[in-house]
Amino acid sequence: MNAAPAPCDLLLRAGVLVTQDGARRVMEDAGLAVTGGLLAAVGPWAEVRAAWAPARTLDLSRRLVLPGLVNTHCHAAMTAFRGLADDMALMPWLTGHIWPAEARMTPGLVHDGTLLACAEMLATGTTCFADMYFFETEAARAAERMGMRAVLGEGLLDFPTPAYATPGQGLARARELIDALRGRPLLGAALAPHSAYATGPEALAQSRELAASLGLPWMIHAAESADETAQCLEKHGLRPLELLARLGCLGPGTVLVHMTDVTTQEIALVAASGAGVSHNPRSNMKLASGQAPAARMLAAGVPLGLGTDGAGSGNTLNLFATMAATALTQKALTGDPTALPAQAALDAATLGGARLLGRTDLGALAPGHPADLTALDLDHPGLVPLYNPVSHAVYAATGAEVRLTMVAGRVVYEDGALAGATRAELAACAARLQAWATGH
């Protein structure tokens, strides 16, 4: 006699499911049972439907369902600076435009900017992001309101910021953020020193020690450009990665962001340390900072995730655009069309990013994992015909095909509507930011 179907909160039917599980299974007409925000079962629709009795059912039979994407580096509130200063190199952009504007940042503006960032990311399939900025308790409030996962770090610099006057005060704010995020299920903390040129050796070492003691990610801009290397050599007599290694800052939990100006020896050093890399190809291209040798890093065993950087430098927080840029630039750099194939790019945007942030439960759709997913329209003209769903996700999809995004079993975006904010509320946020930026 067959057992009675087990109760579950939600039953989803997926037209095509890219699981990103250990076997990288791709399934047609698949079923997913969700209970308590977690996946209870994943398999053929007929089998899952027969085994589970849902409180409600969601029909995604004309959708390509993927794990939610993981953005391993952004400055979410910098949506305030989208298009404000374009077409210039990193250091003039940073010192001549961004840092002077940031000196006027307020907690309310960080909340508004982060709310807009979360809306953009959810609408393009990202369910979790890592953030480095100021007033991060406000970023936490915005992410929580939008129902989005976030790993948040108060940016640590040696000079005064809108949030603090001294490095010691910055580290104190980082500790306060860690305490504030405890017990909030969608949020986690990180330590986030800015860079080896803008954060002193003492703050670098102290923050790394704190991160290691608490098992938190330690995120830093590293080897972002030749200019950064020159500054580090002038100040410390060492290249950025040499300095970080000497200070004991390389190791598991370290997230090195950008990594464009690196040697073969430095890639081997990072691989041996267990540190990972957040690859931000669009921002690096736009600032002409160079391009990280991501394919070589993967070959050396370096864990790789993808990041958009802030909208001030990369102009978009769309990880579908980042996946395509990742795969295409590596082929152009190496002259090898097989370099960093579509599956490797998708891995970096899901499993790889989750690993970098210490969230090995994210990035795959498998029993026991959180029900974090995104669904693309299989009837969209840009996704037909469909031969290889992974290829489409990386090379064809733009993010505009996203019809639904779910976090912890809750639909937080569907067909243009967000669960956490109305269009009018988002428009008001944008208006406040523009008035602040332009002085009107």
Side-chain angles (χ1 to χ4, degrees):
M1 186 174 179
N2 292 333
C8 68
D9 298 333
L10 177 66
L11 201 60
L12 287 79
R13 184 177 191 176
V16 178
L17 176 66
V18 177
T19 65
Q20 287 294 95
D21 65 6
R24 301 297 190 275
R25 289 184 301 162
V26 175
M27 307 171 63
E28 294 186 9
D29 198 20
L32 301 94
V34 180
T35 293
L38 301 177
L39 291 167
V42 177
W45 168 247
E47 293 179 11
V48 175
R49 179 182 57 181
W52 296 90
R56 70 185 186 98
T57 301
L58 185 59
D59 184 9
L60 301 178
S61 57
R62 294 304 306 157
R63 302 288 182 255
L64 168 59
V65 177
L66 305 163
L69 306 182
V70 179
N71 186 348
T72 58
H73 180 69
C74 76
H75 313 287
M78 289 184 76
T79 52
F81 306 132
R82 192 196 317 265
L84 189 65
D86 288 328
D87 304 324
M88 59 187 67
L90 172 65
M91 288 305 170
W93 173 81
L94 198 58
T95 60
H97 297 269
I98 299 305
W99 282 348
E102 283 182 337
R104 301 185 292 113
M105 261 290 182
T106 67
L109 292 169
V110 168
H111 176 270
D112 285 350
T114 305
L115 207 69
L116 289 174
C118 290
E120 179 183 356
M121 286 189 276
L122 291 172
T124 52
T126 293
T127 53
C128 177
F129 70 100
D131 198 48
M132 175 196 293
Y133 210 59
F134 314 116
F135 303 118
E136 283 292 80
T137 53
E138 288 299 310
R141 191 163 67 91
E144 208 164 41
R145 173 179 169 179
M146 299 298 282
M148 193 169 187
R149 296 189 195 275
V151 177
L152 307 166
E154 188 78 19
L156 301 175
L157 295 99
D158 261 10
F159 47 82
T161 76
Y164 55 82
T166 68
Q169 291 173 359
L171 197 57
R173 285 194 70 97
R175 291 177 182 273
E176 291 169 5
L177 177 67
I178 292 167
D179 290 339
L181 297 183
R182 287 197 176 98
R184 296 165 75 172
L186 295 181
L187 306 179
L191 277 295
H194 182 276
S195 60
Y197 63 85
T199 311
E202 184 178 2
L204 292 173
Q206 287 178 346
S207 61
R208 171 59 185 166
E209 184 178 350
L210 179 59
S213 70
L214 297 175
L216 301 176
W218 187 80
M219 313 183 298
I220 184 170
H221 300 107
E224 183 172 0
S225 68
D227 280 350
E228 178 188 335
T229 300
Q231 287 192 43
C232 200
L233 284 167
E234 183 178 349
K235 291 178 71 171
H236 305 293
L238 297 167
R239 290 170 59 84
L241 290 169
E242 292 173 330
L243 176 64
L244 295 179
R246 184 166 295 188
L247 293 171
C249 293
L250 296 184
T254 294
V255 181
L256 301 165
V257 183
H258 297 301
M259 292 284 284
T260 67
D261 187 34
V262 293
T263 66
T264 300
Q265 292 75 20
E266 287 168 341
I267 292 173
L269 173 67
V270 171
S273 75
V277 169
S278 172
H279 180 43
N280 293 238
R282 286 177 55 90
S283 174
N284 292 336
M285 283 191 286
K286 184 163 176 282
L287 293 168
S289 299
Q291 202 57 227
R296 285 169 50 205
M297 291 175 183
L298 279 176
V302 176
L304 187 74
L306 302 185
T308 59
D309 212 348
S313 60
N315 296 68
T316 177
L317 304 178
N318 182 347
L319 266 181
F320 281 99
T322 299
M323 277 197 289
T326 295
L328 296 175
T329 56
Q330 293 305 301
K331 298 173 194 316
L333 279 174
T334 61
D336 177 3
T338 70
L340 218 149
Q343 184 64 65
L346 182 59
D347 285 354
T350 54
L351 296 161
R355 176 182 174 186
L356 255 61
L357 302 182
R359 293 298 307 264
T360 54
D361 57 333
L362 302 180
L365 297 174
H369 289 240
D372 291 11
L373 57 84
T374 190
L376 283 65
D377 184 0
L378 280 174
D379 295 320
H380 191 282
L383 296 185
V384 293
L386 177 63
Y387 306 117
N388 183 330
V390 172
S391 169
H392 270 18
V394 174
Y395 295 124
T398 66
E401 306 85 358
V402 171
R403 293 291 174 266
L404 178 142
T405 302
M406 175 180 288
V407 177
R410 177 183 175 226
V411 175
V412 288
Y413 171 82
E414 186 172 14
D415 291 330
L418 292 146
T422 66
R423 287 185 177 273
E425 288 170 325
L426 295 174
C429 288
R432 285 192 292 268
L433 290 170
Q434 188 163 0
W436 164 79
T438 60
H440 296 104

